[in-house]
Amino acid sequence: RAQMRAWSEYINNCFGALMAVLQSADKEAFEQANQVLINKFQPLSKVLSSDGAFFYGEKFMTIDSTYAPLFLRMKTLNELYPDFLLDALPKNIQQWMTSLLAYEALKKSIMGDFLAIYRSFIGKMAADKYIDRQL
């Protein structure tokens, strides 16, 4: 339980790194921030179960629901701007993301057109930043 709580807290670092990507002023800063975000997943990839679709294997747990919103935003950003390097994530993280975002209960929890909602959020939070200009 303590390990799960620690990794659940770790997501704050990942969300902070994603916000740095969105706040990047130019392409160089964007690429650097994107690499920092990718690097945040290295420690997670070492503890992620290899025995199933979720963090601890086949059973969906709280930690999975903790990371789902981050993964949804990362996937959506990649759909909006393919230069966002999801392919650079460790393979087991990519598989976890894919499994989580395909999980029926999570798919049903997404309200409305998330792509449009997230694009609007980027327009407000990253107005005139590199990513907003690219979109």
Side-chain angles (χ1 to χ4, degrees), residues 47-67:
V47 297
L48 185 62
S49 172
S50 60
D51 296 349
F54 302 115
F55 193 86
Y56 284 112
E58 288 299 323
K59 187 175 180 186
F60 181 86
M61 302 191 67
T62 304
I63 191 165
D64 296 300
S65 66
T66 302
Y67 278 83

Side-chain angles (χ1 to χ4, degrees), residues 1-8 56:
R1 288 184 189 184
Q3 184 183 31
M4 189 185 311
R5 280 193 302 271
W7 286 118
S8 293
Y56 284 112

Side-chain angles (χ1 to χ4, degrees), residues 24-82:
S24 300
D26 56 36
K27 185 172 184 164
E28 182 180 343
F30 172 84
E31 290 172 352
Q32 289 174 351
N34 195 52
Q35 190 57 54
V36 167
L37 175 60
I38 298 301
N39 291 343
K40 294 284 183 197
F41 286 95
Q42 295 303 323
L44 265 171
S45 73
K46 292 177 180 153
V47 297
L48 185 62
S49 172
S50 60
D51 296 349
F54 302 115
F55 193 86
Y56 284 112
E58 288 299 323
K59 187 175 180 186
F60 181 86
M61 302 191 67
T62 304
I63 191 165
D64 296 300
S65 66
T66 302
Y67 278 83
L70 174 67
F71 289 154
L72 178 61
R73 282 153 182 79
M74 291 172 65
K75 180 181 174 279
T76 303
L77 182 56
N78 193 69
E79 291 171 9
L80 290 167
Y81 186 63

Side-chain angles (χ1 to χ4, degrees), residues 58-120:
E58 288 299 323
K59 187 175 180 186
F60 181 86
M61 302 191 67
T62 304
I63 191 165
D64 296 300
S65 66
T66 302
Y67 278 83
L70 174 67
F71 289 154
L72 178 61
R73 282 153 182 79
M74 291 172 65
K75 180 181 174 279
T76 303
L77 182 56
N78 193 69
E79 291 171 9
L80 290 167
Y81 186 63
D83 285 350
F84 180 66
L85 304 175
L86 279 186
D87 291 342
L89 285 168
K91 293 294 179 207
N92 62 343
I93 298 292
Q94 290 180 41
Q95 291 168 341
W96 182 32
M97 179 187 304
T98 299
S99 296
L100 267 179
L101 296 178
Y103 190 57
E104 196 60 34
L106 287 175
K107 289 189 333 188
K108 288 180 179 179
S109 72
I110 300 168
M111 305 297 281
D113 181 358
F114 191 79
L115 186 76
I117 293 167
Y118 197 57
R119 174 61 187 100
S120 176

